[in-house]
Amino acid sequence: MTNRLRIATRKSPLAVWQAEEVARRLRELHPGLEVTLVRMSTRGDQMLDSPLSKIGGKGLFVKELEQALLDGEADIAVHSMKDVPVAFPPGLGLQVILERDSPFDAFVSNRYDSPADMPPDAHVGSASLRRQAQIMSRFPRFTVSPLRGNVNTRLAKLDAGEYDAIILAASGLRRIGLSERIRAVMDADESLPAIGQGALGIETRLDDARVQALIGPLDHADTHCCVRAERALNARLNGGCQVPIAGYAELDGDRLRLRGLVGTPDGGRIYRAEADGPADMPEALGTAIGEALLAQGAGEVLVSLGIAPPDVAH
Ligand SMILES: NCc1[nH]cc(CCC(=O)O)c1CC(=O)O
């Protein structure tokens, strides 16, 4: 029993790849440790017809995995940090974040090389209000329609001709061996990434010292610092992964630079804030960027979408 570690994961090819990657690194680190995967289906995977923003985006992809940890059916859960809500259930926490892969969005099309290459009335598939807001702000005549399902399903819908292009995370495509589908990587000016995009995190039971010790060496301090700042921004705005909030932090020596964005889904209004601060205070920087966005009026956008930011004064 003590030489065994069970990883809870969603069943999608991307999620399984991510869990296998953690399993591979743990076996390398601890020869003799028996690492197995517990594959689970989550509500986010089942409710594929409804836009995530309508069915309560927060935590849809992680709840069942957390329950497996609480029930003792698994020892760790591997998550895309992008899908992890700000708060954890009592007894659980996330202390390990792996080195980040590409944080950027990818433009994927069978006909066009970039958004600028498309006709003015092009049809884009994306279920992300963040991606929608940013592309609509640059190309107001585009139509963006919801596109759900795992990465493979979304690509199949593109290939069936339902859209001129779709936008996906570059990291997800790379991980499942489909980087050749990327026609253009969208940089931070073009499509500011989601909070935590490209990073994997490991959630555990906080009282499980054996497991904490086993996974501790997988933590990547620089990535962890950046994701802390991004998540503090998200916490300040009360955002989940399915609201038009973007945040991207970069570390430069002992300075941390964070950019944040809130937009209306139609791209009509885009609020941006950017600042840097000491790398040992990532939460302060994230909160400050959140405040700066609220001071510009971003709170109204969030309230109109049913996401009330916590009071400005605190
Ligand atoms: N919302 C689904 C999701 N969660 C994490 C990723 C990509 C992998 C990552 O961000 O690490 C994706 C797919 C996508 O956005 O294209």
Side-chain angles (χ1 to χ4, degrees):
M1 197 60 178
T2 42
N3 218 20
R4 204 174 80 159
L5 188 137
R6 297 155 304 169
I7 305 181
T9 174
R10 295 169 50 207
K11 290 179 185 164
S12 75
L14 175 59
V16 169
W17 185 97
Q18 294 177 166
E20 290 282 11
E21 170 68 7
V22 170
R24 187 188 65 72
R25 304 237 350 229
L26 285 171
R27 290 181 192 118
E28 190 177 87
L29 214 54
H30 309 291
L33 182 68
E34 190 197 317
V35 186
T36 54
L37 263 50
V38 181
R39 295 164 202 240
M40 320 188 56
S41 171
T42 67
R43 260 184 78 211
D45 298 304
Q46 286 150 16
M47 304 181 64
L48 289 179
D49 306 334
S50 344
L52 278 186
S53 45
K54 295 248 159 61
I55 51 178
K58 279 194 197 178
L60 277 178
F61 292 110
V62 306
K63 262 207 182 82
E64 282 81 355
L65 307 187
E66 288 176 332
Q67 197 56 49
L69 293 179
L70 292 168
D71 294 344
E73 285 160 17
D75 303 302
I76 68 175
V78 174
H79 305 297
S80 292
M81 284 311 298
K82 187 163 87 166
D83 300 329
V84 178
V86 169
F88 299 95
L92 299 183
L94 195 145
Q95 272 127 358
V96 169
I97 298 182
L98 279 70
E99 183 169 7
R100 188 176 237 170
D101 204 319
S102 168
F104 299 116
D105 285 332
F107 175 85
V108 179
S109 172
N110 293 317
R111 292 182 60 190
Y112 304 104
D113 288 329
S114 72
D117 186 35
M118 295 206 287
D121 60 347
H123 185 196
V124 176
S126 171
S128 152
L129 296 179
R130 174 187 62 82
R131 290 171 178 151
Q132 176 177 329
Q134 292 186 80
I135 200 157
M136 289 297 287
S137 80
R138 294 173 57 226
F139 303 97
R141 291 179 55 204
F142 282 5
T143 305
V144 179
S145 319
L147 168 62
R148 293 266 344 262
N150 67 42
V151 175
N152 309 67
T153 312
R154 294 189 220 180
L155 289 167
K157 289 182 180 171
L158 171 72
D159 295 342
E162 288 184 39
Y163 310 94
D164 295 311
I166 63 176
I167 305 171
L168 295 169
S171 59
L173 288 165
R174 278 234 279 269
R175 287 174 187 150
I176 58 175
L178 293 175
S179 43
E180 81 279 3
R181 301 288 308 240
I182 301 175
R183 294 293 280 267
V185 172
M186 303 171 85
D187 67 20
D189 294 323
E190 202 177 350
S191 191
L192 195 68
I195 274 107
Q197 185 159 311
L200 300 180
I202 305 181
E203 187 174 7
T204 58
R205 287 181 297 272
L206 290 170
D207 63 0
D208 196 338
R210 175 188 78 99
V211 165
Q212 309 284 354
L214 288 170
I215 66 171
L218 296 185
D219 188 59
H220 188 258
D222 287 3
T223 300
H224 206 138
C225 175
C226 291
V227 173
R228 269 208 173 103
E230 294 166 12
R231 286 173 61 77
L233 160 63
N234 212 27
R236 185 63 194 90
L237 298 181
N238 206 12
C241 67
Q242 294 304 324
V243 297
I245 297 177
Y248 176 49
E250 284 171 292
L251 201 54
D252 183 8
D254 60 0
R255 299 295 289 177
L256 189 59
R257 168 154 289 273
L258 175 64
R259 303 203 221 180
L261 177 151
V262 169
T264 52
D266 67 0
R269 275 187 288 164
I270 298 280
Y271 303 93
R272 295 176 189 272
E274 178 172 354
D276 65 356
D280 57 357
M281 294 174 67
E283 276 85 7
L285 183 60
T287 306
I289 293 292
E291 297 290 354
L293 289 165
L294 291 172
Q296 292 174 44
E300 273 171 51
V301 175
L302 300 177
V303 169
S304 73
L305 292 165
I307 307 137
D311 273 347
V312 177
H314 68 279

